[in-house]
Amino acid sequence: MATSKEGPERPTERLDIARGLENVPVSAWPPGAEPEPFQYTPDHIAGPGTDIDPTQITFPGCICLKTCLPGTCSCLRHAENYDDNSCLIDTGSQGKCANPVFECNILCQCSDQCKNRVVQQGLQFQLQVFKTDKKGWGLRTLEFIPKGRFVCEYAGEVLGYSEVQRRIQLQTIQDPNYIIAVREHVYSGQVIETFVDPASIGNIGRFLNHSCEPNLLMIPVRIDSMVPKLALFAAKDILPEEELSYDYSGRFLNLMDSKDKERLDQGKTRKPCYCGTRSCAAFLPYDSSLYCPLGKSNIS
């Protein structure tokens, strides 16, 4: 966990990184410091090249009048997603893939208190953006977060693949890369890809650093749209002042096929990893499929 010489500052009215767009203000440390300017959005927005508007309602609602249960609720395909404490039930295990989550949506007849409405409730914990020693800005919690609780989204512009390539081609080795590629493997063999870039327009998820032993797990959660919310849940109990992190490669608690491994391990000048964990791989994960020459793709 990255630390600063002085203790974290509790949220004040002086600065809210979220600009009042979250349930809870997000403070910054040290006092007087502020990250580079960006446009804050708590939700995905449609960016260049995408053919799906993430704000468009595409799922029908359930007709549950009381309790939403598997077998009777159309939103619960296989089993309940959350327990009575709003904790994700299936946090996965080594050698097991995480299951996608479908929450009840705006067209559902169930109440706003339905326990299958968690990610859509937004930020619930006091978080703080802070300056780390080697990793630039980071994100930490100011309060205890139990395992399985939703922490925040990774939200930004949803892009088409050609726009992803264009933006990456413009990057230098010194530039941070915020673009994430999420690939969901469907039972039919199809791969659903979602590309999100919060660099210029995004939420607090853009401040999350990589760790080879992360305390967050990213799960695609669908609510109103086929475009998934990239929801980050606590993979373990997280203590106050602990830095929040996830594995940029997606390998944590998820299987990786041979093509995914090739994308992540092909040779290129790699950026060093400063997570400091015992299993640190020394370099940040690298997805070579995003660095193909424009117009050529090795995604299959």
Side-chain angles (χ1 to χ4, degrees), residues 18-143:
R19 306 291 189 249
L21 297 176
E22 300 283 6
N23 299 325
V24 183
V26 180
S27 61
W29 182 266
E34 186 172 358
E36 67 282 356
F38 70 102
Q39 180 181 331
Y40 198 94
T41 176
D43 303 300
H44 289 325
I45 66 168
T50 183
D51 55 2
I52 303 179
D53 183 351
T55 64
Q56 183 179 3
I57 300 173
T58 56
F59 289 139
C62 70
I63 57 174
C64 306
L65 298 179
K66 294 184 178 180
T67 305
C68 291
L69 297 171
T72 60
C73 178
S74 60
C75 301
L76 296 173
R77 308 299 174 92
H78 306 290
E80 289 185 299
N81 295 317
Y82 308 108
D83 64 18
D84 292 337
N85 296 314
S86 299
C87 293
L88 185 69
I89 294 175
D90 185 9
T91 54
S93 61
Q94 295 295 341
K96 179 181 178 182
C97 292
N99 292 319
V101 172
F102 293 84
E103 289 195 0
C104 292
N105 60 58
I106 195 171
L107 297 180
C108 292
Q109 296 187 30
C110 57
S111 72
D112 291 341
Q113 284 69 49
C114 171
K115 74 175 186 178
N116 194 40
R117 299 178 183 269
V118 171
V119 173
Q120 61 195 267
Q121 301 297 336
L123 192 64
Q124 302 295 317
F125 296 100
Q126 291 186 346
L127 307 182
Q128 184 178 72
V129 173
F130 73 109
K131 194 72 172 178
T132 69
D133 292 334
K134 295 182 178 180
K135 297 177 290 186
W137 292 94
L139 185 66
R140 61 185 168 195
T141 177
L142 297 181
E143 58 183 302

Side-chain angles (χ1 to χ4, degrees), residues 5 11 128 261:
K5 295 181 180 179
Q128 184 178 72
K261 183 171 177 59

